[in-house]
Amino acid sequence: MSTAVSPLAPTDVPEMPAIAGVRLATAAAGIRYKNRTDVLLALLDKGTAVAGVFTKSKCPSAPVEWCRAKLKGGNARALVVNSGNANAFTGKTGKASTALTAQIASKAVGCSTNEVFLASTGVIGEPLDATKFDGVLAQLTDAAAPDHWMDAAKAIMTTDTFPKVATATVKLGKAKVTINGMAKGAGMIMPDMATMLSFIFTDAPVSASVLQVLLKAGVEDTFNALTIDGDTSTSDTLLAFATGAAAAQGAPKISRASDPRLKAFAEAFQEILANLSEQVARDGEGARKLVEVVVEGATTKPSARRIAMSIANSPLVKTAIAGEDANWGRVVMAVGKAGEPANRDKLSISFNGIRVAKSGARDPSYDEKEVSEAMKAPKIQIKVALGLGKGRDRVLTCDLTKEYVAINGDYRS
Amino acid sequence: MSTAVSPLAPTDVPEMPAIAGVRLATAAAGIRYKNRTDVLLALLDKGTAVAGVFTKSKCPSAPVEWCRAKLKGGNARALVVNSGNANAFTGKTGKASTALTAQIASKAVGCSTNEVFLASTGVIGEPLDATKFDGVLAQLTDAAAPDHWMDAAKAIMTTDTFPKVATATVKLGKAKVTINGMAKGAGMIMPDMATMLSFIFTDAPVSASVLQVLLKAGVEDTFNALTIDGDTSTSDTLLAFATGAAAAQGAPKISRASDPRLKAFAEAFQEILANLSEQVARDGEGARKLVEVVVEGATTKPSARRIAMSIANSPLVKTAIAGEDANWGRVVMAVGKAGEPANRDKLSISFNGIRVAKSGARDPSYDEKEVSEAMKAPKIQIKVALGLGKGRDRVLTCDLTKEYVAINGDYRS
């Protein structure tokens, strides 16, 4: 497996500020990996609201089922994340394992197990020995501090080649509030789900129900408009935590999603989700190109989404991009197989702004050399104009390289 | 691009007998390739019935549209197939090109253009210069002979590494009738369509409507239960021709699909489709393993099909097979993302008959070493038992290797 950092990794990594009410600590519990951290504990002050969205898999992991059940309470005091083992498809053992982990955490933190949230990522189908958390979580509770954001983002990585963080500071009322986020990818990623693992923290005094509305709306055009390989994990989890600590600085308490004071915060929140999901695409397994698929002129937005996803998930389109080949014939193929309204003779296709096909045939002005040059860029935009209506959508993906096959043909062994 | 023959190629290639009423000839028209044949002409005696099924792509190729229109007549005198250029997404030029090709053929053969059937395979989006057929088709008409079956199968290849043929002889009434078939793959192959290119010929006196019924029923569990990469071609075409010449040997004319005398013929016909579609899977681009996915215990057969396809199209499952890794966790993932009824805790999974998971967790008797040994076989069966109902289905696919990426990252340039 390659350990080289993706060439698409952001060059500009932000300093992650502290968030009042959040303390972090990481440890190497030896769950699977050696010589690296694999457990993250996030401690949350009393009164922290929580919201979440999860995989739509019919075979979700034990931690996903745990979180879904605990979300009803709306309060969180601790988040425990481990990498190396997904605790998925582990039967009754898996359920027992989540219960034991939560019990160990609740004891260490001094809270109810109903306020403990869990996420696991890594190999599926192997029992997770929760006794490995015994002792570790108590130590982490003592060690937890307001910084450590990059360490936290590193501890949750699996085949990721770089840690993914994002931060924003925005006004809520007259007070400044902060939003920090982290995510991990990097394969088995496809929407109709929440996302891989991603955690958002803020000191804004936002209620759990408002946070849930923001999350649900926010993932639609970010994490749910992202595909690496069309495969959907059993463990995808996106949790958001709001400590409310900024209330002490005069931030107003927000309990309705329609509250006009929420506007700037909601935009920044959405921006964090967009930032993190793009980073996940940039770290798709084996990725050498970030690919943005834009479909316009579809009959509706959902139709545009389905066509964009058909293109973004096509192995033939993705390998062509890897080969720096503006193979618009394969794009036509992917439009055709989507099953959505499309009129072959109205289609136009561009790569990075250069139109290669229009009105159902090769663009007369098409210059193979110019396009070939453009295909060398690290970011490729495929734009398809259907000419039928006003439906427009955009999804992100990456190319399909031999490295993807190498990573995934040799992951478990 | 590799030119090595797939290690999964059948070792036992049948002698292809002549079929009364069918003559074949091939030529190198220089459509794209050099030093190889790229045009096939099949001449069919008067009275030949024809049936066909085609891609479900919303952007079909010009030849597909041509054949669909001509099928209504039910009669065929000539089939012209070229490789190297799919004549797909070529706008009005494409339509003109099919009309010109048919005109050249009809003149050479002495028939109506309504009796000329066309198929093209190769690059999409490049105009096909039909004038290249001028002269060539007249020569082929003179050269056509009852043998040449292997030559014909070779002329229609693109990235195929071996020609695909199958034959069967069976009794219809008291006469012997023959069925010959050929097919080409090898990427952009996924059901909800007819198939890639495949042509079936018989001397049985079967009406066009009966042939159509046999084809439609026959593809369901053969070509439509096959996926290489989940991509659907714009050109997929399966045509069947029945010359009726065996009537002279006393074969009864069959004009109703329910005719009990058709039974043996119908079974042999289906067998030919199964044989050819398996050969296509065996020649999937870059394939090193033939993969059979069997799903049983689903609520219905269509549900079993969708789950089997979700597994067969999962890049993570396919790369695991390439890595000889019995990664049943990824199989669970693929079951989960199918969106069909599934109960995690009732799932059982086997690889080549060795059960690795049962009742939602690792099989206690699971021996990694035994399974690892089994995964070295050239054919891998993944069997999933859902434990919900009686729905059962089976699909064929192949593994996903670096070679697939190499072939498709460097196909057009």
Side-chain angles (χ1 to χ4, degrees):
Chain A
M1 191 184 311
S2 170
T3 51
V5 171
S6 165
L8 305 170
T11 47
D12 200 16
V13 180
E15 283 290 319
M16 297 293 287
I19 290 194
V22 181
R23 284 172 297 146
L24 304 169
T26 61
I31 288 163
R32 178 180 177 80
Y33 307 114
K34 280 176 182 147
N35 305 318
R36 61 155 280 189
T37 55
D38 55 7
V39 182
L40 161 65
L41 176 67
L43 290 183
L44 303 156
D45 279 1
K46 274 185 189 168
T48 296
V50 59
V53 281
F54 304 93
T55 181
K56 287 181 183 165
S57 172
K58 300 278 178 179
C59 301
S61 69
V64 164
E65 294 195 325
W66 175 271
C67 287
R68 277 204 180 108
K70 301 308 172 192
L71 217 51
K72 294 182 185 96
N75 295 313
R77 293 294 310 284
L79 166 69
V80 181
V81 188
N82 75 274
S83 56
N85 186 315
N87 193 17
F89 204 57
T90 41
K92 286 175 187 164
T93 321
K95 199 173 174 181
S97 179
T98 53
L100 180 55
T101 309
Q103 200 187 323
I104 295 168
S106 75
K107 211 170 152 191
V109 176
C111 67
S112 156
T113 54
N114 290 328
E115 298 169 311
V116 177
F117 287 78
L118 305 173
S120 297
T121 176
V123 171
I124 306 175
E126 301 288 338
L128 173 63
D129 179 8
T131 61
K132 289 200 173 171
F133 297 119
D134 211 358
V136 171
L137 294 185
Q139 284 170 28
L140 289 179
T141 304
D142 294 339
D147 40 13
H148 299 322
W149 287 92
M150 284 309 281
D151 293 339
K154 281 176 194 166
I156 65 172
M157 284 164 59
T158 54
T159 56
D160 304 66
T161 71
F162 61 88
K164 296 160 192 68
V165 293
T167 183
T169 302
V170 68
K171 279 209 163 175
L172 185 62
K174 287 178 180 168
K176 271 192 183 172
V177 297
T178 303
I179 310 171
N180 280 2
M182 68 182 78
K184 61 84 49 186
M188 211 183 280
I189 285 169
M190 157 79 182
D192 262 351
M193 56 147 193
T195 167
M196 54 316 323
L197 298 191
S198 185
F199 308 106
I200 316 289
F201 301 86
T202 179
D203 54 357
V206 185
S207 74
S209 63
V210 170
L211 210 52
Q212 188 68 36
V213 170
L214 291 178
L215 259 195
K216 272 210 163 180
V219 295
E220 187 50 39
D221 289 328
T222 59
F223 281 111
N224 279 358
L226 166 73
T227 178
I228 300 300
D229 51 17
D231 275 343
T232 299
S233 166
T234 56
S235 307
D236 300 319
T237 298
L238 171 51
L239 292 168
F241 302 96
T243 66
Q249 276 73 50
K253 292 193 181 182
I254 307 290
S255 54
R256 283 183 310 111
S258 58
D259 192 318
R261 294 171 296 180
L262 197 63
K263 191 165 178 283
F265 179 85
E267 284 172 6
F269 189 90
Q270 166 92 9
E271 195 50 49
I272 294 277
L273 298 180
N275 182 322
L276 290 172
S277 60
E278 178 170 324
Q279 287 190 59
V280 171
R282 286 179 175 273
D283 203 13
E285 288 171 341
R288 293 293 171 270
K289 308 266 190 198
L290 178 66
V291 182
E292 180 189 38
V293 180
V294 175
V295 173
E296 52 189 33
T299 52
T300 62
K301 180 177 154 77
S303 180
R305 169 70 59 97
R306 283 189 286 269
I307 291 168
M309 275 294 168
S310 178
I311 297 167
N313 277 325
S314 160
L316 289 172
V317 171
K318 292 159 83 84
T319 49
I321 302 291
E324 303 192 336
D325 176 10
N327 195 320
W328 53 275
R330 293 184 185 173
V331 177
V332 180
M333 176 280 300
V335 171
K337 80 164 178 165
E340 291 296 315
N343 181 335
R344 192 187 61 194
D345 298 336
K346 287 186 176 177
L347 269 178
S348 294
I349 297 168
S350 305
F351 286 89
N352 278 6
I354 305 168
R355 193 172 60 191
V356 293
K358 72 165 188 175
S359 309
R362 190 162 67 180
D363 193 313
S365 69
Y366 172 40
D367 175 0
E368 181 105 24
K369 208 173 155 192
E370 183 194 10
V371 179
S372 294
E373 200 52 44
M375 295 303 289
K376 292 178 184 164
K379 182 174 173 181
I380 301 294
Q381 186 202 59
I382 304 172
K383 189 187 269 189
V384 175
L386 294 168
L388 298 179
K390 293 188 172 174
R392 189 185 189 282
D393 206 14
R394 164 197 184 259
V395 305
L396 286 180
T397 187
C398 58
D399 56 346
L400 171 57
T401 66
K402 290 177 199 173
E403 191 64 15
Y404 176 89
V405 179
I407 292 166
N408 287 298
D410 198 34
Y411 173 70
R412 185 160 168 275
S413 42
Chain B
M1 191 184 309
S2 170
T3 50
V5 171
S6 165
L8 306 170
T11 48
D12 200 15
V13 180
E15 282 290 319
M16 297 294 287
I19 289 195
V22 181
R23 284 172 297 147
L24 304 169
T26 60
I31 288 164
R32 179 183 177 79
Y33 308 114
K34 281 177 183 144
N35 304 320
R36 60 155 280 191
T37 55
D38 55 5
V39 182
L40 161 66
L41 175 68
L43 289 183
L44 303 156
D45 279 359
K46 274 184 189 172
T48 296
V50 58
V53 283
F54 304 93
T55 180
K56 286 181 183 163
S57 171
K58 299 278 179 179
C59 301
S61 69
V64 165
E65 294 194 327
W66 174 272
C67 287
R68 277 204 180 108
K70 301 307 173 193
L71 217 52
K72 293 181 185 97
N75 296 312
R77 292 294 309 283
L79 166 68
V80 180
V81 188
N82 75 275
S83 56
N85 186 316
N87 193 16
F89 203 57
T90 40
K92 286 175 187 163
T93 320
K95 199 172 174 182
S97 179
T98 52
L100 180 55
T101 308
Q103 201 186 322
I104 295 168
S106 75
K107 212 171 152 188
V109 176
C111 67
S112 156
T113 54
N114 290 329
E115 297 169 312
V116 177
F117 287 77
L118 304 172
S120 296
T121 175
V123 171
I124 306 176
E126 301 288 338
L128 173 63
D129 179 8
T131 61
K132 288 198 174 174
F133 297 120
D134 211 358
V136 171
L137 295 186
Q139 284 171 29
L140 289 180
T141 304
D142 294 339
D147 40 15
H148 299 322
W149 288 91
M150 285 309 279
D151 293 339
K154 280 176 193 166
I156 65 173
M157 286 164 58
T158 56
T159 56
D160 304 66
T161 71
F162 61 88
K164 297 161 191 69
V165 293
T167 183
T169 301
V170 68
K171 279 210 164 175
L172 185 62
K174 286 178 181 168
K176 270 193 183 171
V177 297
T178 303
I179 310 171
N180 281 1
M182 66 182 78
K184 59 86 47 186
M188 209 183 280
I189 285 168
M190 156 81 181
D192 263 350
M193 55 144 192
T195 166
M196 54 315 325
L197 298 191
S198 185
F199 308 106
I200 316 290
F201 301 86
T202 179
D203 54 357
V206 185
S207 73
S209 62
V210 170
L211 210 52
Q212 188 67 36
V213 170
L214 291 179
L215 260 195
K216 273 210 162 179
V219 296
E220 188 49 40
D221 288 328
T222 59
F223 282 111
N224 279 358
L226 166 72
T227 179
I228 300 300
D229 50 17
D231 277 343
T232 300
S233 166
T234 55
S235 309
D236 299 319
T237 298
L238 171 51
L239 292 168
F241 303 95
T243 66
Q249 275 73 53
K253 293 193 180 181
I254 307 290
S255 54
R256 285 183 308 111
S258 58
D259 192 319
R261 293 171 297 179
L262 197 63
K263 190 164 180 282
F265 180 84
E267 283 172 7
F269 190 90
Q270 165 93 11
E271 195 50 51
I272 294 278
L273 298 180
N275 182 323
L276 289 173
S277 60
E278 178 170 324
Q279 286 191 60
V280 171
R282 287 179 175 272
D283 204 13
E285 288 172 340
R288 293 292 171 269
K289 307 266 189 200
L290 178 66
V291 182
E292 180 188 39
V293 181
V294 176
V295 173
E296 53 188 35
T299 52
T300 62
K301 178 176 155 76
S303 179
R305 169 70 58 97
R306 282 189 286 270
I307 291 169
M309 275 293 169
S310 177
I311 296 167
N313 277 324
S314 160
L316 290 171
V317 171
K318 291 160 85 84
T319 49
I321 302 292
E324 303 191 335
D325 176 10
N327 195 320
W328 52 277
R330 295 186 185 172
V331 177
V332 180
M333 176 280 299
V335 171
K337 79 164 179 165
E340 292 296 315
N343 181 334
R344 191 187 62 195
D345 297 337
K346 286 185 177 177
L347 269 178
S348 294
I349 297 168
S350 305
F351 286 89
N352 278 4
I354 305 169
R355 194 172 59 191
V356 293
K358 72 164 188 176
S359 310
R362 189 162 67 180
D363 192 313
S365 69
Y366 172 40
D367 175 0
E368 181 104 26
K369 207 173 156 191
E370 183 194 12
V371 179
S372 293
E373 200 53 45
M375 295 303 288
K376 292 178 184 163
K379 181 173 173 181
I380 302 294
Q381 186 201 60
I382 304 172
K383 189 186 268 189
V384 175
L386 294 167
L388 298 179
K390 291 188 173 175
R392 187 183 192 282
D393 205 14
R394 164 197 185 259
V395 305
L396 286 180
T397 187
C398 57
D399 57 345
L400 172 57
T401 65
K402 291 178 198 172
E403 191 65 14
Y404 176 88
V405 180
I407 292 166
N408 287 298
D410 198 34
Y411 173 70
R412 185 161 168 275
S413 41

